[in-house]
Amino acid sequence: MKLLTQGDDYGFTKAVTYGILDAIENGALRNTGFFTNMALAPWAAEQWKAKEFEKACLGIDFNIVSGPPAADPKSIPSLVDDKGEFIRSGVRIRDPRFQTEEGRREMFPYEEVYRELRAQYDRYVALMGCKPGYLHGHSLSHEHYREAIAQLVKEEGVPFSHDIQEKFGFISLHTLVGRTGLASTKKVFDPMDQLNKTPLENFMAHADEFLKAEYVNMGGHPGFVDAELMGLTTLSLERMKDHEAQTSPILKKWIADNGVELITYYDLVKA
């Protein structure tokens, strides 16, 4: 069995970044996506380069709902507030327009979405000196967002995580237990409910089923938590639980005992 472990939002805050690096060094995490739009991005790039990871893959998580844009805010007026910051996802999903395809296209004009995603891609290349290992979506998903990612895939030849996982027939907790609704409307916002999440237990409860598959994905948002994070997103405290899962001795022993191979998107592109 081949296991693709993925942790999103590298470079979001210092605590998140440190937590992701720790989950790679001391845990099972092997893939993470860079938030290149954040002011912290140059620092996060240097932290990654200093590690000289050979076992991990760095991609891009395209973020258009938190923090500052990579493009000139004046060039993407539909995506930002009066302070030039991205309009948060919690605001977006409460907008009645978000409930229809026509409304979502109006809220997220293709030209503006593509302009911002291109700016985030170009910033990655400028910071890292190479192409990303993969492209990945973040938070809300809508038509123009997916179309803009597809255009960048065509232009740059970098795989979209969704496409490559579909190509290899990956399974995950989502595919085994089914989706109960749109992720954007089913997030856990209460801090105590986030702390009560059990990602490790949930994964291990299906361990025998996973071993019957060839390709399995274990995703999440591992990281440590700082005050800055609490001001940027409601997806906060559960990051500690995802970090705990990725670094758990239980998970690492299961991987070793069953000969599970930890893989990256680089491995899948070569396959």
Side-chain angles (χ1 to χ4, degrees):
M1 189 199 100
K2 295 177 173 60
L3 178 63
L4 184 85
T5 49
Q6 185 170 335
D8 300 340
D9 304 358
Y10 182 80
F12 201 2
T13 69
K14 282 193 173 183
V16 170
T17 303
Y18 282 134
I20 288 174
L21 293 173
D22 180 70
I24 294 172
E25 287 187 295
N26 301 304
L29 186 62
R30 294 294 180 269
N31 302 268
T32 185
F34 200 171
F35 268 8
T36 62
N37 68 296
M38 303 303 291
L40 198 67
W43 173 84
E46 292 307 311
Q47 301 307 305
W48 184 274
K49 292 176 183 177
K51 297 295 182 181
E52 297 184 341
F53 287 128
E54 293 183 359
K55 63 182 180 181
C57 175
L58 183 64
I60 296 179
D61 285 349
F62 286 122
N63 170 24
I64 57 172
V65 294
S66 185
D72 182 347
K74 295 179 181 178
S75 71
I76 51 170
S78 302
L79 306 185
V80 298
D81 59 21
D82 56 4
K83 296 179 181 178
E85 299 275 313
F86 284 128
I87 300 171
R88 297 274 293 275
S89 58
V91 175
R92 292 299 203 178
I93 64 174
R94 288 192 294 269
D95 189 317
R97 293 177 296 171
F98 193 73
Q99 304 308 315
T100 68
E101 179 178 339
E102 182 180 0
R104 290 189 296 270
R105 287 179 177 272
E106 177 188 342
M107 294 169 69
F108 300 94
Y110 176 80
E111 292 77 11
E112 294 184 31
V113 173
Y114 174 82
R115 186 174 295 121
E116 174 59 25
L117 267 55
R118 164 53 70 179
Q120 291 185 22
Y121 182 95
D122 290 345
R123 182 173 289 179
Y124 180 103
V125 174
L127 289 171
M128 303 305 301
C130 62
K131 290 186 175 184
Y134 65 97
L135 308 180
H136 188 67
H138 169 73
S139 191
L140 303 182
S141 179
H142 53 83
E143 293 75 14
H144 283 161
Y145 184 60
R146 295 191 296 271
E147 290 167 15
I149 293 176
Q151 181 62 29
L152 284 167
V153 169
K154 183 185 300 183
E155 292 172 359
E156 300 296 340
V158 177
F160 180 32
S161 58
H162 176 272
D163 292 344
I164 202 163
Q165 288 193 39
E166 192 172 74
K167 173 184 175 181
F168 285 89
F170 273 84
I171 68 167
S172 65
L173 277 174
H174 284 307
T175 58
L176 289 183
V177 304
R179 293 183 181 272
T180 57
L182 290 174
S184 60
T185 62
K186 296 297 180 180
K187 290 179 179 178
V188 174
F189 296 105
D190 182 83
M192 290 310 299
D193 287 343
Q194 291 189 37
L195 285 178
N196 289 330
K197 280 193 167 185
T198 56
L200 175 63
E201 290 84 347
N202 294 344
F203 184 87
M204 296 308 299
H206 297 277
D208 290 341
E209 295 170 87
F210 288 139
L211 289 173
K212 298 174 184 177
E214 185 174 2
Y215 293 97
V216 175
N217 171 250
M218 181 181 183
H221 299 80
F224 301 145
V225 177
D226 52 14
E228 183 182 9
L229 180 70
M230 303 297 285
L232 288 170
T233 179
T234 51
L235 189 72
S236 55
L237 299 184
E238 70 179 70
R239 293 174 190 268
M240 294 187 292
K241 305 295 289 188
D242 285 342
H243 175 272
E244 177 185 43
Q246 292 283 359
T247 57
S248 168
I250 295 173
L251 178 67
K252 289 190 284 187
K253 185 176 186 301
W254 177 77
I255 289 171
D257 289 349
N258 293 282
V260 174
E261 180 184 356
L262 292 173
I263 62 171
T264 69
Y265 282 101
Y266 294 136
D267 299 319
L268 295 169
V269 170
K270 295 175 184 176

